[in-house]
Amino acid sequence: QVRLVESGGGLVQPGGSLTLSCAASLSISGINVMSWYRQAPGMGRELVATVTNTESTNYADSVKGRFTISRDSPKNTVNLQMNGLKPEDTAVYYCYALRPLSRNTAETVWGQGTQVTVSS
């Protein structure tokens, strides 16, 4: 099973920037979908951004124009560049991967999460 390790979270002031990284234990070229989700206290987990193995991307409306998801295949890493951060962006951010094992089978994997806090 692929393992995902997030890093880069921390405390940042409103309007600031932060970059999250998700390192995979296997080549991400074999992972069809990698995403970032987030979950605020007492709230459900929401999809923030997705990138496919063909470099297609999608973003939640709340982060469009501010966040950028990208794949760095040589490093087996997916990054989330976050600009113009707002207090409502405060959450635990989770990396997600969908990896096909066969034509009819796939595995889904979650990272352990990294805390992002936006506060003055």
Side-chain angles (χ1 to χ4, degrees):
Q1 184 184 53
V2 62
R3 296 190 300 275
L4 305 174
V5 179
E6 302 100 330
S7 62
L11 175 64
V12 64
Q13 293 186 333
S17 298
L18 207 59
T19 300
L20 305 182
S21 295
C22 173
S25 61
L26 299 175
S27 173
I28 63 172
S29 64
I31 303 175
N32 283 7
V33 176
M34 298 196 74
S35 301
W36 285 96
Y37 286 74
R38 67 186 181 187
Q39 186 168 19
M43 305 296 290
R45 190 169 298 184
E46 65 172 342
L47 177 63
V48 176
T50 293
V51 61
T52 71
N53 59 342
T54 60
E55 305 296 340
S56 177
T57 59
N58 279 288
Y59 299 91
D61 288 342
S62 59
V63 307
K64 285 182 179 177
R66 299 189 297 121
F67 290 11
T68 302
I69 188 170
S70 61
R71 297 166 66 110
D72 188 346
S73 294
K75 297 181 179 179
N76 295 325
T77 298
V78 170
N79 298 313
L80 184 68
Q81 176 66 49
M82 305 184 295
N83 299 320
L85 284 163
K86 305 175 181 179
E88 50 262 47
D89 294 319
T90 296
V92 177
Y93 284 70
Y94 296 91
C95 187
Y96 164 91
L98 174 65
R99 184 171 75 105
L101 301 177
S102 69
R103 186 171 183 83
N104 303 115
T105 306
E107 67 171 351
T108 58
V109 182
W110 293 92
Q112 82 287 350
T114 185
Q115 176 72 48
V116 173
T117 302
V118 184
S119 176
S120 60

